[in-house]
Amino acid sequence: MAQMKYISCDLETYSDVDLQKCGVYRYAQSPNFEILLFGYSVNGGEVQVVDLVCGEKIPQEIINALTDDTVAKWAFNSAFERVCLSVWLQRNYPQYFSSYSIDEDSVRDYLDSVAWRCSMVWSAYMGLPLSLAGAGTVLGLEEQKLKEGKDLIRYFCVPCKPTKVNGGRTRNLPEHDMEKWNLFKFYNQRDVEVEMSIQDRLKKYPVPDFVWGEYHLDQEINDRGIALDIDVVKNAIAFDAKSKAELAEKMQELTDLDNPNSVVQMKQWLADNGLEMDSLGKKEVAQAVKTAPKELTEVLLLRQQLSKSSVKKYQAMQNAVCEDGRARGMFQFYGANRSGRWAGRMIQLQNLPQNHMPDLEQARGLVESGNYDAIELLYDDIPDTLSQLIRTAFVPKDGNKFIVADFSAIEARVLSWLAGEEWRTEVFTSGGDIYCASASQMFKVPVEKHGVNGHLRQKGKIAELALGYGGSVGALKAMGALEMGLAEEELKPLVNAWRASNPNIVKFWWDVDSVVKKCIKENKSQKTNNIEFHCMSGMLFIVLPSGRQLAYVKPRIGENIFGGESVTYEGVGGTKKWERIESYGPKFVENIVQAISRDILMYAMKTLRTYNIVAHVHDEVIIEAEPRISVTEVCKQMSQVPPWAKGLLLDADGYECDFYQKD
């Protein structure tokens, strides 16, 4: 037999735990979890399907290969296969399972990802969809994923409802429909074939080894997970239910409505009482509260409290938590394929509510101990209090602390560095406040935070956040400029002032616009501001200073709504469907800056790898640290500039805490 170099594989599995709600780690931990079918191919050969339900065994050489780091394992979304096989091996072949960690680290229950490769990551790296069916369709593969798959999975892979017709059973087995089972085996085989076809189609554009190294670090962080204070989680859910019931009862007393939660009924009641509202969205209700009569204000405030969805995060925690009290699998590597940044999964750490309570620890202690009466007495808005406490449910393991460190104004620094906007670089060099400096540059007066012309800082901040990537009046409004006190007539002059004070950034936008168009038209490589652009085989590639590439599928020169030239490419658009997307210079610059910021975060995570990184949120890293480790030490390492970013100024700040919070 030829030497085994790589395996392509796909699993069909059963569990009574909901995979979508709970994630693969919790899913595979269920005592009822099992592997039904194991489809595999060795070295690109014919696909074999092992029917474990009907008593077939996975060949010994394959069992050996699963724990042999010299044999590459390929799958589409390989995290699923790796975690499931980790659990299955421990239960069925414990003598062959080997972990990649020390006992003290909570990654110990999983196979090392170092030998695993993921064709979904490869698809994402090439700007393709993150689904097997989607990638296969876009690539126009001969073999496509079977459309019957969803029905077959629903039939065999999840519990079924007991009925008279099915004899009261809670699970469908092969003997209940052999025709379907045989089709399911073919489906499993086809998935391996499609996955292999994707590899074959993309082989001209391999994922660089250093990106696979990043993927392995990502998997390590997902395997490690982050601990949850389950008492806080359970009590928060109970408190929310009790509070919402009390609020609904109060609302009913005030309005006499059958269902005060009904948008239709509430709008009608408000209209009957002299307040016409087109929407009961958060912004609209908050605006109405300011001017509504007193008798309506109370109802609107109750409406605000009832609409807070604080409990959903706690429920996601409860769903995702594993047997050891840790939540795992919260980060999707290359989830955003325009930049290569992570996407959140399960609990979604990327959009947690902020905390501004001065007595955060006290409030948390009351929830942890289950003291609802005290919470009700001390805090007027229980849903808001619970919302602010969400972060605090994340805790370090016993005897450890959290060190939270993040980059200061990372995107602003990268944009200034790329564009060569010297005055901004000087601000960063001197440790100044970019929002004050921007306002000062725009309005030609000194601006100090909490000092001279301090009121202008907010305008500088809004301008910085909204205008760096070609945004105009609409972007300012979307950032909440009007709600923050700016007048409509101020917005356009603000845009003009920002652009006038940042001529090199504006020039960078249009230089990128020009070279992208030239690259597509002439099919020749271009370069500007240390960024390379290549067009080949129906793809546009943007090569970042790190060596990583951004890929745009089937780029073309089209016409925009103003009759000018625009660039279009294929990708997942705002509709979440594969479609043609329009872009231009500033938008490409946004992709580039966010991608480089992501690469800098990844470089920092590599330098901090000897510590236990449990999570990362935007430009922030959360470390589960021993008491001896200092914040200064972590921030110093984090601020190291990558060798490919000479001249870039980085700064990281941090703090330590006994539970996760915003400093």
Side-chain angles (χ1 to χ4, degrees):
M1 189 178 176
Q3 185 191 355
M4 195 181 299
K5 293 180 179 177
Y6 66 94
I7 299 171
S8 297
C9 63
D10 181 71
L11 302 179
E12 306 304 338
T13 56
Y14 173 87
S15 177
D16 55 348
V17 170
D18 188 318
L19 180 61
Q20 298 306 314
K21 276 188 183 177
C22 303
V24 64
Y25 292 89
R26 175 78 180 272
Y27 172 89
Q29 265 189 2
S30 166
N32 296 316
F33 163 80
E34 63 177 288
I35 296 176
L36 309 176
L37 300 171
F38 179 83
Y40 70 96
S41 160
V42 175
N43 297 345
E46 188 180 346
V47 177
Q48 308 293 322
V49 174
V50 182
D51 184 344
L52 283 96
V53 180
C54 294
E56 295 178 8
K57 303 267 187 203
I58 297 175
Q60 188 60 50
E61 63 267 23
I62 302 298
I63 299 286
N64 295 341
L66 291 175
T67 53
D68 183 347
D69 290 344
T70 65
V71 179
K73 273 73 70 173
W74 279 94
F76 198 93
N77 187 18
S78 65
F80 178 83
E81 272 72 18
R82 184 179 64 84
V83 170
C84 287
L85 284 164
S86 295
V87 172
W88 184 83
L89 280 168
Q90 286 179 82
R91 289 181 187 174
N92 296 281
Y93 294 88
Q95 66 274 34
Y96 293 102
F97 174 79
S98 67
S99 171
Y100 67 106
S101 178
I102 55 173
D103 286 345
E104 290 76 25
D105 194 347
S106 53
V107 303
R108 61 185 175 273
D109 291 326
Y110 305 100
L111 292 166
D112 193 346
S113 65
V114 73
W116 286 80
R117 298 288 184 270
C118 181
S119 40
M120 182 173 76
V121 168
W122 200 349
S123 289
Y125 189 78
M126 294 300 295
L128 297 170
L130 290 174
S131 71
L132 188 61
T137 302
V138 172
L139 290 170
L141 301 180
E142 226 173 281
E143 291 92 4
Q144 295 285 340
K145 189 177 175 77
L146 291 186
K147 290 178 179 166
E148 302 92 333
K150 282 185 181 175
D151 291 336
L152 293 166
I153 287 168
R154 202 177 296 117
Y155 190 81
F156 290 114
C157 299
V158 298
C160 63
K161 286 182 180 176
T163 64
K164 282 185 180 177
V165 176
N166 70 15
R169 67 173 183 265
T170 56
R171 182 178 171 187
N172 295 316
L173 294 166
E175 62 258 33
H176 298 127
D177 196 324
M178 282 307 298
E179 191 178 339
K180 277 186 179 174
W181 183 251
N182 288 327
L183 183 59
F184 197 34
K185 286 163 74 170
F186 181 61
Y187 167 79
N188 179 233
Q189 175 188 325
R190 175 57 62 86
D191 272 8
V192 181
E193 289 167 350
V194 174
E195 193 270 326
M196 289 162 66
S197 295
I198 290 171
Q199 289 183 53
D200 189 59
R201 187 61 64 88
L202 299 179
K203 64 186 177 188
K204 283 198 295 185
Y205 307 106
V207 175
D209 285 345
F210 73 86
V211 174
W212 286 128
E214 295 173 353
Y215 172 68
H216 299 145
L217 176 54
D218 163 84
Q219 292 294 284
E220 182 184 310
I221 294 167
N222 274 309
D223 286 353
R224 181 172 293 119
I226 183 168
L228 291 167
D229 188 325
I230 298 301
D231 288 334
V232 169
V233 173
K234 285 179 180 174
N235 290 338
I237 293 169
F239 284 16
D240 183 81
K242 193 171 180 179
S243 165
K244 292 281 174 68
E246 290 172 359
L247 290 168
E249 191 179 339
K250 199 171 179 182
M251 180 86 97
Q252 205 155 20
E253 284 172 15
L254 290 169
T255 62
D256 205 28
L257 291 172
D258 296 333
N259 178 13
N261 283 322
S262 164
V263 173
V264 174
Q265 288 185 30
M266 183 51 63
K267 282 169 91 172
Q268 188 59 55
W269 185 88
L270 289 166
D272 293 343
N273 286 272
L275 182 61
E276 295 280 351
M277 291 190 69
D278 295 328
S279 167
L280 292 181
K282 288 179 184 178
K283 277 188 179 178
E284 289 79 6
V285 173
Q287 198 61 38
V289 166
K290 295 175 185 175
T291 55
K294 189 180 176 184
E295 60 273 18
L296 298 187
T297 302
E298 189 176 359
V299 171
L300 289 167
L301 287 170
L302 285 169
R303 173 77 197 174
Q304 275 186 319
Q305 291 186 55
L306 278 166
S307 65
K308 276 206 183 298
S309 58
S310 56
V311 74
K312 285 183 180 175
K313 293 285 187 189
Y314 291 114
Q315 286 168 337
M317 292 174 185
Q318 203 170 41
N319 289 334
V321 71
C322 294
E323 291 166 352
D324 62 353
R326 300 178 80 88
R328 293 181 169 84
M330 289 183 291
F331 307 100
Q332 174 64 63
F333 187 73
Y334 243 92
N337 61 8
R338 289 283 63 79
S339 63
R341 295 198 296 185
W342 288 264
R345 292 291 181 264
M346 313 309 301
I347 303 168
Q348 297 286 356
L349 268 78
Q350 282 81 348
N351 60 4
L352 296 176
Q354 291 199 356
N355 53 263
H356 303 288
M357 298 169 66
D359 53 351
L360 191 71
E361 190 167 358
Q362 174 186 290
R364 183 188 188 279
L366 293 172
V367 173
E368 188 180 28
S369 62
N371 195 339
Y372 182 82
D373 292 341
I375 286 282
E376 194 172 36
L377 183 68
L378 294 170
Y379 303 96
D380 295 332
D381 190 336
I382 292 176
D384 181 66
T385 302
L386 295 176
S387 182
Q388 294 201 50
L389 290 175
I390 288 171
R391 290 173 188 265
T392 74
F394 295 104
V395 290
K397 67 183 180 185
D398 288 348
N400 280 233
K401 62 186 180 183
F402 278 154
I403 290 178
V404 183
D406 72 336
F407 288 114
S408 163
I410 183 71
E411 285 191 31
R413 290 169 183 266
V414 170
L415 181 58
S416 306
W417 171 67
L418 284 172
E421 202 65 79
E422 292 295 333
W423 72 265
R424 296 167 72 91
T425 304
E426 286 167 16
V427 172
F428 296 129
T429 305
S430 63
D433 183 308
I434 188 64
Y435 303 136
C436 288
S438 189
S440 180
Q441 192 81 359
M442 287 158 64
F443 302 111
K444 310 300 180 193
V445 294
V447 178
E448 293 175 15
K449 193 175 182 180
H450 310 307
V452 62
N453 297 314
H455 66 287
L456 293 175
R457 183 182 184 271
Q458 190 62 18
K459 294 182 180 181
K461 183 174 182 177
I462 292 169
E464 280 296 311
L465 296 174
L467 306 180
Y469 304 122
S472 188
V473 171
L476 287 169
K477 286 181 178 176
M479 287 295 302
L482 298 178
E483 289 83 358
M484 291 175 189
L486 271 79
E488 181 86 39
E489 59 271 16
E490 286 184 276
L491 300 186
K492 189 62 175 127
L494 197 63
V495 173
N496 295 338
W498 190 90
R499 291 183 180 181
S501 62
N502 291 281
N504 289 322
I505 290 176
V506 174
K507 182 177 181 296
F508 180 38
W509 298 342
W510 302 115
D511 284 349
V512 168
D513 190 79
S514 174
V515 298
V516 167
K517 286 172 181 171
K518 197 172 180 183
C519 188
I520 296 167
K521 284 177 187 173
E522 299 179 8
N523 207 25
K524 285 183 183 172
S525 298
Q526 305 291 327
K527 190 172 180 177
T528 187
N529 298 67
N530 202 28
I531 308 292
E532 293 176 20
F533 303 80
H534 305 290
C535 214
M536 59 184 84
S537 304
M539 302 286 288
L540 169 68
F541 293 103
I542 299 178
V543 185
L544 305 169
S546 65
R548 192 166 64 88
Q549 296 184 153
L550 305 181
Y552 299 82
V553 180
K554 297 179 183 174
R556 286 184 203 155
I557 301 295
E559 190 176 294
N560 60 30
I561 55 172
F562 308 107
E565 278 187 340
S566 71
V567 175
T568 68
Y569 63 90
E570 290 184 6
V572 178
T575 62
K576 304 295 180 187
K577 292 179 181 173
W578 191 258
E579 59 190 14
R580 191 152 279 278
I581 299 166
E582 189 175 76
S583 195
Y584 69 127
K587 191 69 187 169
F588 284 116
V589 167
E590 182 178 22
N591 295 164
I592 290 165
V593 170
Q594 290 184 349
I596 292 173
S597 301
R598 175 263 183 216
D599 289 348
I600 289 163
L601 177 68
M602 178 48 86
Y603 183 81
M605 284 161 61
K606 286 177 179 174
T607 68
L608 296 168
R609 193 170 189 169
T610 53
Y611 304 116
N612 283 348
I613 301 170
V614 292
H616 47 93
V617 184
H618 303 305
D619 306 318
E620 173 185 272
V621 173
I622 306 166
I623 291 169
E624 192 172 59
E626 294 173 13
R628 62 181 177 79
I629 297 167
S630 74
V631 174
T632 308
E633 178 187 329
V634 168
C635 290
K636 188 179 176 183
Q637 286 198 48
M638 194 166 174
S639 300
Q640 289 179 28
V641 178
W644 44 262
K646 286 185 173 60
L648 174 64
L649 294 166
L650 290 179
D651 187 39
D653 199 10
Y655 52 95
E656 58 184 56
C657 45
D658 293 325
F659 47 78
Y660 184 42
Q661 57 187 280
K662 273 291 177 193
D663 193 27

